[in-house]
Amino acid sequence: MPQTHIFIIGVGGYPYIKGGTHEKVQTLDCAKKFGQLSSPPLSAKAIYDTFINLHNQGAWIKPLGSIEVLISPLDAAPLILKDEEVGRAHMENIKDSFNAWIERCNKSTENVAIFFFCGHGVDKIEHVLLAEDFGKNTLNPWDGSFSFDSTRRGFYTCKASTQLFFIDACRLFTADMLLTEVPLHALIPPHFNATECQFDLTQKAAAFKEGAYARVNDVSYYTMALIRALEGGALTKEQDEWTISQSSLATKMEELIEMVYEGKVPEQRCINRTSKSTNILRFAESPSIDVVIDCSPEDAHNLAYLSYSEAETNLSDSRQPHIDPWKINIKPGIYKLSATFPDGQYTNMSEYRNFMPPAGARTLKCEQ
């Protein structure tokens, strides 16, 4: 029976570099400048919870077969998920878990393979991802890392025809990386006779020479956007079915990243490599979507009585004037939006808007 097999890695605690529990004097600038990360353990747990929730909803088209999880918290205490201790994300565990994961994925050509990484990353010739034991060998800190791009090419030997890789890591490099070789350790070597999988999405949270960001002690912006996408932000409607595919995850992520930045100019760009697309999630009914409604000019917003009503069901709601934008959670559909001004400061107005995932903000332009 075809299944979905998932491997999640979140690395926040790096014991051997700046601020670590076993900090060592490093010889290379790349190891001196990196430090501890509060977001990856939270991001890994959040994406794990999302995958489990989708399983509980029966949303996976290929049922969930397994989730392999490695997380390195900031302190020495292991993270607990579902009353079980989670293994730490050092290279030995990563290699063992990767091998077990690919073995499961290999059991059927119809399987879905999903890989998620959140932690430190650098990019010179290849995108290199740093494991917990980065810097343990001070003469060659790269012993605690693996080259993602070679690993991704190597994974094409896997029989699973649907493969999704999500990489939430920076792609910057330090000055000394220009002067020294960065050893490339692939988890599986590329095979030159291997052909690319039929349905592919390889998504990186950052463009080359750019960073991936998060607030301290919070889920990263990219992972927030990915979770929104999986929970409904990347939905498309095919006949009477609401589905999510690789192509919708690729095309809607930029807008979702802008949404999690809450109107501020995004500091990162999501990069996608895709091939032929297939649906990976199917929902019995469409999940709700987040919408923000405000008025322009700002003075009109402060005075407006806002309301909406859904065209088919007449489902409606309203709000009195308020300084903040109106944040609502609604089902996709066509809605009538209205702004009324009882004292006549502005002209009452109404318009119909089509709300489809990921929705986002809508501004009503008012005239005096």
Side-chain angles (χ1 to χ4, degrees):
M1 178 181 176
Q3 294 180 317
T4 297
H5 297 286
I6 301 171
F7 185 18
I8 299 170
I9 302 174
V11 194
Y14 289 86
Y16 307 105
I17 59 177
K18 184 169 59 178
T21 54
H22 297 87
E23 184 175 352
K24 293 186 176 184
V25 178
Q26 300 292 332
T27 58
L28 297 180
D29 283 348
C30 58
K32 293 177 182 178
K33 292 183 178 180
F34 294 136
Q36 310 305 301
L37 298 174
S38 62
S39 179
L42 300 174
S43 298
K45 182 182 182 303
I47 199 71
Y48 168 85
D49 290 340
T50 299
F51 289 146
I52 292 296
N53 288 338
L54 292 169
H55 166 69
N56 293 336
Q57 294 174 47
W60 293 107
I61 294 176
K62 304 293 173 61
L64 184 61
S66 65
I67 299 188
E68 192 90 14
V69 185
L70 297 175
I71 297 177
S72 293
L74 291 175
D75 54 29
L79 188 137
I80 305 297
L81 281 180
K82 304 294 182 182
D83 298 323
E84 293 186 10
E85 184 176 307
V86 176
R88 299 188 74 90
H90 54 67
M91 283 308 301
E92 182 179 358
N93 278 349
I94 289 174
K95 291 176 182 177
D96 289 344
S97 294
F98 182 88
N99 291 341
W101 172 61
I102 195 172
E103 183 177 347
R104 292 190 294 272
C105 295
N106 251 328
K107 290 181 178 179
S108 172
T109 58
E110 296 184 53
N111 278 345
V112 177
I114 298 179
F115 179 93
F116 174 89
F117 176 92
C118 187
H120 275 307
V122 296
D123 200 330
K124 184 182 177 183
I125 297 173
E126 284 204 24
H127 198 181
V128 175
L129 305 179
L130 310 188
E132 176 191 281
D133 42 351
F134 178 75
K136 183 176 182 179
N137 178 355
T138 58
L139 296 178
N140 185 10
W142 306 108
D143 283 349
S145 70
F146 64 96
S147 53
F148 170 72
D149 297 317
S150 292
T151 297
R152 179 69 193 97
R153 292 194 298 272
F155 198 83
Y156 285 134
T157 60
C158 178
K159 293 179 182 178
S161 60
T162 303
Q163 302 175 12
L164 297 89
F165 284 72
F166 303 104
I167 308 302
D168 190 358
C170 293
R171 299 180 64 188
L172 303 165
F173 59 84
T174 57
D176 67 331
M177 289 174 61
L178 298 174
L179 305 175
T180 59
E181 290 290 336
V182 177
L184 301 177
H185 308 296
L187 297 178
I188 179 173
H191 194 292
F192 292 102
N193 283 336
T195 57
E196 297 178 3
C197 63
Q198 185 177 9
F199 306 107
D200 179 21
L201 171 60
T202 301
Q203 188 173 84
K204 297 185 178 183
F208 180 55
K209 295 197 295 186
E210 294 184 3
Y213 301 97
R215 290 185 289 263
V216 176
N217 295 321
D218 202 355
V219 175
S220 74
Y221 291 114
Y222 168 79
T223 301
M224 284 184 190
L226 178 58
I227 289 171
R228 286 197 186 188
L230 294 168
E231 290 181 340
L235 278 174
T236 56
K237 191 174 185 180
E238 297 179 356
Q239 298 178 348
D240 292 328
E241 289 187 336
W242 291 93
T243 59
I244 292 176
S245 66
Q246 286 113 311
S247 62
S248 65
L249 286 171
T251 57
K252 297 191 178 184
M253 281 299 291
E254 284 292 337
E255 186 174 354
L256 286 161
I257 288 175
E258 290 181 10
M259 289 172 64
V260 300
Y261 268 84
E262 297 180 345
K264 300 175 184 176
V265 177
E267 298 182 45
Q268 64 187 81
R269 294 177 293 158
C270 183
I271 303 301
N272 298 282
R273 184 184 184 280
T274 61
S275 63
K276 186 178 179 181
S277 183
T278 188
N279 295 327
I280 61 169
L281 294 165
R282 181 185 295 118
F283 297 85
E285 62 179 48
S286 94
S288 298
I289 52 178
D290 293 321
V291 178
V292 178
I293 301 174
D294 63 8
C295 296
S296 176
E298 183 177 349
D299 183 55
H301 175 78
N302 298 336
L303 300 170
Y305 288 76
L306 299 175
S307 65
Y308 70 80
S309 61
E310 207 273 328
E312 291 187 4
T313 65
N314 289 323
L315 180 68
S316 62
D317 197 4
S318 61
R319 190 190 77 164
Q320 295 185 354
H322 196 282
I323 190 172
D324 295 324
W326 190 20
K327 297 181 180 181
I328 58 177
N329 186 260
I330 58 175
K331 295 287 186 180
I334 298 175
Y335 287 78
K336 180 181 179 181
L337 303 181
S338 300
T340 59
F341 303 90
D343 294 334
Q345 304 98 324
Y346 287 85
T347 302
N348 296 339
M349 59 89 62
S350 296
E351 61 184 42
Y352 285 89
R353 295 284 187 95
N354 186 16
F355 290 94
M356 292 293 290
R362 297 292 188 273
T363 300
L364 302 177
K365 295 183 179 180
C366 303
E367 297 181 356
Q368 288 182 312

